[in-house]
Amino acid sequence: MDKTELDKLLSALADGTRTPGSVASEILNAKTTELVGEDGHVDVRVDHERANRCGFAEVIFAQGKTPEQTARIATELIARHPLILATRADEEHRRAVLQALSSTSAKVVYHKTARIIEIVSANPQHVEIPDPVGLIVVASAGTSDLPVAEEAALCAEAFGAKVERLYDIGVAGVHRALEHTDTLRQAHVVIAVAGMEGALPSLIAGLVDVPVVAVPTSVGYGANLAGFAPLLSMLNSCASGIGVVNIDNGFGAAVLASRINNPKH
């Protein structure tokens, strides 16, 4: 519940159109909604206060959830927020969400590379999405890293940041990164995504005076160990100013970078 909704409730209480009990009930119920699955048990508890606590509404992690569960959560969230995301979603999740929201005017966009469902509310009572602020540069070492890099870029944009993409600028052709030094130095924070040996964050951190959020990916041959090799490389970087998130965690990188980019968001 945001400040505007709370002000309305308290005004209604003050002028006698609402009772203390009904106001208290609405405030308590606004925090969490329990959703019942096909088996009759509560399988989802939607957190409606996350936007007030953390700056953005709860993001649905679709992987491991059924399409029906994802659609129920999306329907509940978009009724209260102007923009929501579902990450690690596939085509079945997209179809279920689209069908569940077919009676509304909500805009549903599926970003296939990033595996993200983006839903924009058409409710005129929702606050308009503000203009982007700051600058986050999302850099990927190779084209194979694009699913993770695009997850980071799209999430950062949804969280309110201006985003610049620099893809396929890995150290195998180091001149490709050096050609974009000016852009990298304009950023408030850089997200550097790399698989293989994971050297890109070290290179970038030696060129800029802002934080670098390093994202190891599972891209690489056998000794890459599904991302453990670049993870260890990034953790052991001799360059300063690097923070490392988990393997393939573009979403987590976007959250961290967005809070650096706009700490009062």
Side-chain angles (χ1 to χ4, degrees), residues 21-126:
S22 68
V23 170
S25 178
E26 187 163 341
I27 291 173
L28 290 173
N29 291 335
K31 293 182 179 179
T32 304
T33 299
E34 295 181 345
L35 303 181
V36 178
E38 295 178 351
D39 61 359
H41 300 296
V42 173
D43 59 356
V44 174
R45 288 178 172 84
V46 181
D47 179 4
H48 293 299
E49 290 293 297
R50 195 167 304 184
N52 293 332
R53 297 194 313 270
C54 304
F56 192 79
E58 181 176 4
V59 173
I60 306 165
F61 183 69
Q63 183 178 324
K65 292 182 176 67
T66 67
E68 186 270 339
Q69 287 170 330
T70 303
R72 281 193 287 125
I73 300 168
T75 301
E76 181 66 28
L77 285 171
I78 201 59
R80 299 173 184 247
H81 303 284
L83 171 65
I84 65 167
L85 301 174
T87 64
R88 298 300 175 90
D90 59 25
E91 285 285 348
E92 291 187 3
H93 292 113
R94 180 196 67 82
R95 285 193 293 268
V97 169
L98 195 60
Q99 182 177 358
L101 297 176
S102 60
S103 62
T104 74
S105 299
K107 180 181 179 183
V108 180
V109 179
Y110 181 55
H111 301 276
K112 187 174 182 179
T113 298
R115 298 168 291 178
I116 287 177
I117 301 171
E118 181 181 15
I119 307 170
V120 181
S121 171
N123 188 336
Q125 295 182 347
H126 285 157

Side-chain angles (χ1 to χ4, degrees), residues 1-231:
M1 179 175 296
D2 61 25
K3 184 178 183 300
T4 300
E5 293 173 317
L6 184 58
D7 285 344
K8 288 180 180 178
L9 280 177
L10 295 178
S11 295
L13 178 63
D15 64 24
T17 58
R18 295 288 299 268
T19 65
S22 68
V23 170
S25 178
E26 187 163 341
I27 291 173
L28 290 173
N29 291 335
K31 293 182 179 179
T32 304
T33 299
E34 295 181 345
L35 303 181
V36 178
E38 295 178 351
D39 61 359
H41 300 296
V42 173
D43 59 356
V44 174
R45 288 178 172 84
V46 181
D47 179 4
H48 293 299
E49 290 293 297
R50 195 167 304 184
N52 293 332
R53 297 194 313 270
C54 304
F56 192 79
E58 181 176 4
V59 173
I60 306 165
F61 183 69
Q63 183 178 324
K65 292 182 176 67
T66 67
E68 186 270 339
Q69 287 170 330
T70 303
R72 281 193 287 125
I73 300 168
T75 301
E76 181 66 28
L77 285 171
I78 201 59
R80 299 173 184 247
H81 303 284
L83 171 65
I84 65 167
L85 301 174
T87 64
R88 298 300 175 90
D90 59 25
E91 285 285 348
E92 291 187 3
H93 292 113
R94 180 196 67 82
R95 285 193 293 268
V97 169
L98 195 60
Q99 182 177 358
L101 297 176
S102 60
S103 62
T104 74
S105 299
K107 180 181 179 183
V108 180
V109 179
Y110 181 55
H111 301 276
K112 187 174 182 179
T113 298
R115 298 168 291 178
I116 287 177
I117 301 171
E118 181 181 15
I119 307 170
V120 181
S121 171
N123 188 336
Q125 295 182 347
H126 285 157
V127 178
E128 290 187 7
I129 299 171
D131 293 333
V133 300
L135 177 61
I136 296 175
V137 171
V138 179
S140 79
T143 305
S144 297
D145 300 308
L146 284 188
V148 178
E150 267 298 285
E151 180 181 69
L154 286 166
C155 287
E157 287 175 333
F159 299 154
K162 179 181 178 182
V163 174
E164 180 83 19
R165 292 163 170 81
L166 296 177
Y167 291 164
D168 197 21
I169 61 167
V171 297
V174 69
H175 59 284
R176 296 176 298 178
L178 297 178
E179 289 171 356
H180 298 284
T181 300
D182 288 344
T183 300
L184 290 166
R185 287 176 175 167
Q186 291 170 9
H188 291 191
V189 56
V190 178
I191 297 174
V193 183
M196 299 292 186
E197 82 282 28
L200 183 63
S202 293
L203 171 66
I204 291 176
L207 298 173
V208 302
D209 62 355
V210 298
V212 175
V213 179
V215 190
T217 74
S218 52
V219 170
Y221 292 103
N224 166 272
L225 301 176
F228 279 96
L231 171 65

